[in-house]
Amino acid sequence: MSFFLRTNYQIYHATHSPQTFFYKYPVQSISQLASPPFLSIYLTKNQSIRLPGSYSSYSKMASHIVGYPRMGPKRELKFALESFWDGKSSAEDLQKVAADLRSSIWKQMADAGIKYIPSNTFAFYDQVLDTTAMLGAVPARYNWNGGEIGFDIYFSMARGNASVPAMEMTKWFDTNYHYIVPELGPEVKFSYASHKAVAEYKEAKALGVDTVPVLVGPVSYLLLSKPAKGVDKSFSLISLLDKILPIYKEVVAELKAAGASWIQFDEPTLVKDLDSAQLQGFTKAYSELESSLSGLNVLIETYFADVPAAAFKVLTALKGVTAFGFDLVRGSKTLELIKSGIPSGKYLFAGVVDGRNIWANDLSTSLSLLQSLEGVVGKDKLVVSTSCSLLHTAVDLVNETKLDKEIKSWLAFAAQKVVEVNALAKALSGHKDEDFFSANAAAQASRKSSPRVNNEAVQKAALALKGSDHRRVTNVSARLDSQQKKLNLPILPTTTIGSFPQTVELRRVRREYKAKKISEEEYVKAIKEEINKVVKLQEELDIDVLVHGEPERNDMVEYFGEQLSGFAFTANGWVQSYGSRCVKPPIIYGDVSRPKPMTVFWSSTAQSMTKRPMKGMLTGPVTILNWSFVRNDQPRFETCYQIALAIKDEVEDLEKAGITVIQIDEAALREGLPLRKSEHAFYLDWAVHSFRITNCGVEDTTQIHTHMCYSNFNDIIHSIINMDADVITIENSRSDEKLLSVFREGVKYGAGIGPGVYDIHSPRIPSTEEIADRINKMLAVLETNILWVNPDCGLKTRKYAEVNPALQNMVAAAKLLRTQLASAK
């Protein structure tokens, strides 16, 4: 929100982030304040007055935000959700927190001068799940009986309940956000079952903010879905357009009646490789909607990559569409298509402010680009926008106390990006804020020249990696034989993925240690006690390969980044991953190296507590890269190689310390896969190579595990094999055992593999029989001697009351199958 201070005949105008930008405007008389850029002043008694004149008409240039973070600057929604789920607060309490967040977001954008403010981008869990609710596409297992969908059905679909599992969750394109995958088929009875989009538009309007309602577009919704269980995999999801379009028409009609003048359809699947039938779906959908959309301005928004030429042609020919939104940060090639083919009279929403990273925009470069686009579409048809929703970046730099002044000057979080968008829009209209642009240019120059960014020794080491594929000399089959002789594991060995529940007490210990309220000695003692508890629990459960539970770790990426050079950390830079789960991505601003060992002490401590194998737990270089805000001044693969060398040092130190099983998690390898198939090979080559670099120097008897979660792996299975890990544990149960289909289709996998036997993101406790049934399905397509038994993912987010019985049933199922296999010989 802009505000003003009066001091000695000067009016000092501060932008949204006063710590970062501070400008003054000389004023000759109080009457001058009726003109832009002055909106109000603070008098000596701190009384604010609204001045005459239309600041609103001045400030609301052609500016647009695709979407905004939902969690709140202090994760208010996270805590409200978890309180509601735990039965500690009511549905009304949750709705109140949500309404307050929506109100503050809309007012913030309005006060910043944004003209096209989105609504219906808020969600209690996920925007795709919201669309599923809108369409009444509830799977039968949730026993929904019609009517408006409430929290009980909504959260059951998202999280499961005591009797049925949750719907599948997977990555949203190539981001670390997850969406709930719709389950569709010819028998689904669609109905208008959630009026949320209309309700939120009316809610904003009542606050005096006219918004642009946002809907997930009908074609993208279908293309992001999957055939429901029992439906033939060849079923054409696009064939359901005729069934869902009547509901979209109802929503549009209600929005028009409520006074909406614009509507935004998010159709991000247009950036993917689509076949002609899928592209024809867009033509059909918007032709069918044309009459319903009459009288509305219609924006089709795309993001995350270039729009292919064929899709661009279809998109720009759609009937009834007023405007097109493009990501011009990750989709720079789209510029050529825009310059050669956008229809006359259409609006161009130019996404020049990066919605997926935290670097301050290079305003001068962006302004030059925008000015060139004015000549293509016309001055009155160009709108400055974000490249995608700001959901994927942190909320507000104002809340940051941890970052130093220099690094902070290089950054812009969601709130600052709103200001950047409006600054560019004003500059385009001839009202350029020279001071704002000068400060931005100075920050850009500071970052380029800072000695903190460049480390010549690291750059040379990374450069020397070229020319070798860094593959272990012995093949995996021979290595597994050597490892089995040393480890002496039973068939169907059991393990967990790494983390154990992070209790309130454990978080308190870490928090007090960081705040220097307890000594290092007290901290180490508390963490050792927690590790010992976790080790003893696993021994009592009779798990074969143990973990130390990671009680010393706040986050699997942040923990490592805090110990590597070239990383910076925020106090409140939270980003939603799924539901109430938020992560605080590190910021990679410079060259990366490892000053000292990071995990050896804790892994060695844990191993000393048991005679069973103890896994050393590391996060892999590709996951650290993909789950961080990455520097944008060099290719991503160069940064990844630097991280790989740092992890390699750690792997070799763990081996020297006597750790014989080392897990290097690459949970995010799949999500970094480019959206276009033509770019897959290059990414997979350097990503897989980075993983192999980390462990190419270990002995054959050291068993290297990796873990992957919540993505569609079938299309990259050969690259996974090429990682050359000894054992891979991989999500399987929540995705309805989709992973197993690749082995049914004849792919041979010779290394150890542990497809997850139960979903840890649901509070539901699976029975021994259910887990045994899953293992039997795995044994139908995998060799007994390579199969491991483990959960889908780490247990950090669960409670011990859920974890203990679930693991007990998992071990019991493994033992049951061992007995059955032995008696069958």
Side-chain angles (χ1 to χ4, degrees):
M1 180 175 179
S2 296
F3 56 90
F4 306 84
L5 303 175
R6 180 185 173 104
T7 309
N8 297 329
Y9 303 105
Q10 302 278 316
I11 296 295
Y12 287 81
H13 167 259
T15 65
H16 183 77
S17 177
Q19 296 95 322
T20 308
F21 306 110
F22 203 58
Y23 312 116
K24 65 182 181 180
Y25 294 87
V27 193
Q28 303 306 317
S29 67
I30 200 73
S31 63
Q32 187 180 339
L33 295 172
S35 304
F38 305 108
L39 171 62
S40 63
I41 60 174
Y42 281 90
L43 302 176
T44 53
K45 293 183 180 178
N46 285 333
Q47 293 177 313
S48 179
I49 62 169
R50 179 74 61 170
L51 294 162
S54 179
Y55 178 81
S56 173
S57 63
Y58 165 80
S59 66
K60 293 194 176 178
M61 300 301 174
S63 52
H64 168 250
I65 305 297
V66 176
Y68 200 81
R70 307 156 181 157
M71 284 291 122
K74 296 180 180 178
R75 294 181 291 162
E76 292 89 340
L77 182 60
K78 169 190 171 65
F79 299 121
L81 282 166
E82 292 173 358
S83 176
F84 174 70
W85 293 337
D86 289 342
K88 296 176 181 176
S89 59
S90 67
E92 291 74 21
D93 294 330
L94 177 57
Q95 291 282 17
K96 174 69 166 59
V97 170
D100 288 346
L101 284 171
R102 289 192 296 267
S103 172
S104 67
I105 290 167
W106 291 326
K107 288 180 177 179
Q108 175 190 330
M109 284 192 255
D111 289 340
I114 300 301
K115 183 175 184 179
Y116 301 108
I117 297 170
S119 61
N120 198 42
T121 58
F122 178 90
F124 284 103
Y125 208 94
D126 162 53
Q127 72 269 18
V128 180
L129 182 61
D130 284 1
T131 310
T132 295
M134 182 184 85
L135 297 170
V138 180
R141 64 182 178 274
Y142 298 107
N143 296 318
W144 176 59
N145 296 315
E148 188 81 3
I149 289 175
F151 281 158
D152 54 345
I153 296 296
Y154 182 86
F155 287 130
S156 290
M157 290 191 287
R159 306 176 71 238
N161 58 41
S163 58
V164 291
M167 295 168 70
E168 180 185 351
M169 180 170 70
T170 197
K171 302 286 185 179
W172 176 247
F173 293 81
D174 57 348
T175 74
N176 187 34
Y177 178 76
H178 302 66
Y179 76 96
I180 303 299
V181 183
E183 303 171 12
L184 305 180
E187 304 305 317
V188 175
K189 307 293 185 188
F190 295 99
S191 63
Y192 188 10
S194 171
H195 294 67
K196 174 178 173 290
V198 178
E200 288 189 14
Y201 174 78
K202 290 179 177 178
E203 183 183 327
K205 193 172 183 181
L207 294 169
V209 183
D210 189 29
T211 60
V212 178
V214 179
L215 300 175
V216 175
V219 185
S220 288
Y221 176 77
L222 293 177
L223 293 179
L224 291 166
S225 304
K226 70 173 186 178
K229 197 168 186 177
V231 174
D232 192 293
K233 300 300 179 187
S234 64
F235 174 72
S236 171
L237 293 162
I238 287 292
S239 69
L240 295 172
L241 267 176
D242 288 335
K243 293 187 176 182
I244 69 170
L245 288 177
I247 298 165
Y248 274 89
K249 290 178 182 179
E250 286 188 70
V251 178
V252 169
E254 288 193 6
L255 287 169
K256 285 171 72 172
S261 57
W262 278 83
I263 188 168
Q264 175 179 319
F265 290 99
D266 281 4
E267 293 283 13
T269 55
L270 277 163
V271 305
K272 302 184 84 172
D273 295 308
L274 303 179
D275 60 35
S276 58
Q278 292 168 328
L279 288 174
Q280 286 168 12
F282 289 94
T283 303
K284 175 180 178 178
Y286 289 93
S287 294
E288 179 70 23
L289 289 171
E290 183 182 9
S291 59
S292 298
L293 293 169
S294 177
L296 281 172
N297 289 296
V298 179
L299 165 63
I300 306 293
E301 186 66 52
T302 69
Y303 36 79
F304 297 150
D306 288 297
V307 176
F312 184 88
K313 184 177 180 180
V314 169
L315 170 62
T316 53
L318 292 178
K319 295 181 178 179
V321 174
T322 315
F324 311 106
F326 299 107
D327 181 339
L328 300 182
V329 176
R330 290 182 174 237
S332 56
K333 294 176 186 174
T334 306
L335 276 172
E336 297 308 312
L337 296 173
I338 292 170
K339 289 175 181 177
S340 62
I342 197 161
S344 176
K346 301 292 186 181
Y347 286 87
L348 170 62
F349 282 59
V352 295
V353 173
D354 193 350
R356 287 185 58 175
N357 218 326
I358 42 66
W359 303 108
N361 188 270
D362 185 337
L363 295 177
S364 178
T365 299
S366 293
L367 183 58
S368 295
L369 171 59
L370 290 164
Q371 287 168 337
S372 72
L373 291 172
E374 277 187 326
V376 177
V377 298
K379 198 176 185 73
D380 62 333
K381 297 297 182 184
L382 183 62
V383 179
V384 183
S385 185
T386 53
S387 65
C388 61
S389 173
L390 298 176
L391 172 73
H392 308 288
T393 191
V395 179
D396 196 343
L397 198 55
V398 166
N399 298 322
E400 284 311 316
T401 55
K402 207 171 175 182
L403 295 168
D404 65 61
K405 185 178 179 181
E406 182 182 38
I407 289 178
K408 200 170 180 180
S409 73
W410 302 341
L411 307 179
F413 290 0
Q416 288 69 47
K417 289 177 187 291
V418 169
V419 174
E420 288 180 336
V421 166
N422 202 50
L424 287 166
K426 288 197 288 185
L428 266 184
S429 68
H431 300 282
K432 183 180 179 183
D433 187 331
E434 295 292 350
D435 288 336
F436 191 88
F437 272 69
S438 294
N440 175 266
Q444 299 291 325
S446 161
R447 184 177 165 215
K448 286 178 183 175
S449 61
S450 175
R452 302 170 68 178
V453 172
N454 302 301
N455 183 322
E456 189 176 344
V458 172
Q459 292 170 4
K460 283 183 178 178
L463 190 63
L465 293 172
K466 295 178 180 178
S468 170
D469 67 359
H470 298 88
R471 193 181 294 275
R472 293 168 78 178
V473 175
T474 311
N475 68 44
V476 68
S477 178
R479 296 199 309 264
L480 288 173
D481 287 343
S482 298
Q483 293 156 14
Q484 178 58 17
K485 288 173 185 175
K486 188 168 186 175
L487 299 172
N488 193 30
L489 298 171
I491 61 168
L492 306 181
T494 54
T495 191
T496 63
I497 303 305
S499 61
F500 265 64
Q502 299 250 327
T503 62
V504 172
E505 174 63 18
L506 183 56
R507 293 177 192 273
R508 182 193 63 78
V509 167
R510 283 206 311 267
R511 188 170 59 249
E512 290 187 353
Y513 177 59
K514 279 197 169 186
K516 296 185 168 59
K517 291 182 179 179
I518 61 173
S519 67
E520 183 173 1
E521 183 180 353
E522 290 172 308
Y523 171 73
V524 170
K525 181 175 181 288
I527 297 299
K528 281 184 176 180
E529 288 174 355
E530 182 70 18
I531 291 172
N532 189 58
K533 183 180 82 173
V534 169
V535 169
K536 296 306 179 194
L537 172 62
Q538 292 172 93
E539 287 183 330
E540 289 168 8
L541 291 168
D542 204 18
I543 292 173
D544 300 304
V545 176
L546 311 190
V547 298
H548 76 289
E550 305 176 11
E552 79 284 9
R553 304 184 190 185
N554 44 9
D555 174 83
M556 65 183 288
V557 173
E558 184 177 3
Y559 177 78
F560 289 94
E562 285 177 335
Q563 302 181 75
L564 295 169
S565 64
F567 281 75
F569 299 89
T570 64
N572 293 292
W574 297 99
V575 179
Q576 184 182 16
S577 179
Y578 62 85
S580 69
R581 169 79 169 143
C582 298
V583 294
K584 192 147 53 79
I587 298 166
I588 305 177
Y589 67 85
D591 292 327
V592 178
S593 61
R594 185 197 73 146
K596 61 182 181 180
M598 302 179 285
T599 65
V600 175
F601 173 77
W602 295 117
S603 292
S604 300
T605 297
Q607 184 62 82
S608 71
M609 297 174 178
T610 182
K611 292 182 179 178
R612 301 187 185 208
M614 174 65 61
K615 283 197 281 190
M617 300 299 305
L618 304 175
T619 303
V622 184
T623 296
I624 290 176
L625 183 88
N626 285 337
W627 285 357
S628 297
F629 290 123
V630 183
R631 58 190 293 189
N632 58 1
D633 60 345
Q634 71 177 17
R636 289 172 69 87
F637 71 85
E638 290 184 14
T639 303
C640 198
Y641 284 158
Q642 292 177 1
I643 302 169
L645 286 172
I647 300 300
K648 181 177 186 290
D649 290 343
E650 188 71 12
V651 168
E652 291 171 3
D653 280 348
L654 282 169
E655 186 182 52
K656 289 173 188 172
I659 304 300
T660 56
V661 182
I662 302 171
Q663 182 168 308
I664 308 165
D665 285 344
E666 284 296 12
L669 187 139
R670 173 62 175 78
E671 79 183 41
L673 193 68
L675 300 176
R676 305 286 288 283
K677 290 178 182 175
S678 60
E679 300 169 9
H680 285 191
F682 178 67
Y683 167 77
L684 289 169
D685 179 66
W686 63 255
V688 169
H689 186 192
S690 295
F691 176 83
R692 290 202 306 262
I693 288 168
T694 65
N695 60 86
C696 63
V698 300
E699 299 291 333
D700 286 356
T701 51
T702 297
Q703 190 168 83
I704 299 296
H705 289 222
T706 191
H707 171 68
M708 295 181 179
C709 58
Y710 300 101
S711 280
N712 184 1
F713 300 106
N714 293 23
D715 56 346
I716 63 164
I717 191 66
H718 293 289
S719 294
I720 292 173
I721 293 170
N722 198 30
M723 291 170 73
D724 200 28
D726 297 310
V727 178
I728 179 170
T729 52
I730 196 163
E731 183 274 324
N732 172 66
S733 60
R734 181 154 188 169
S735 60
D736 200 26
E737 300 165 348
K738 193 188 314 181
L739 173 71
L740 299 185
S741 66
V742 77
F743 301 111
R744 294 188 190 102
E745 292 163 6
V747 171
K748 299 298 180 187
Y749 192 74
I753 184 167
V757 297
Y758 79 92
D759 174 23
I760 65 89
H761 287 296
S762 170
R764 185 174 169 273
I765 299 165
S767 67
T768 299
E769 293 73 24
E770 180 183 333
I771 295 174
D773 181 58
R774 287 191 184 278
I775 298 170
N776 269 321
K777 289 178 181 177
M778 297 170 192
L779 288 170
V781 293
L782 294 165
E783 297 294 328
T784 307
N785 64 331
I786 66 169
L787 186 61
W788 285 63
V789 177
N790 46 263
D792 262 353
C793 204
L795 305 170
K796 175 181 177 179
T797 60
R798 299 265 56 91
K799 297 179 174 63
Y800 274 105
E802 301 156 349
V803 166
N804 291 7
L807 290 180
Q808 188 173 28
N809 292 348
M810 182 187 83
V811 173
K815 289 181 176 180
L816 176 65
L817 268 295
R818 288 172 194 162
T819 302
Q820 291 177 358
L821 289 168
S823 63
K825 287 184 180 178

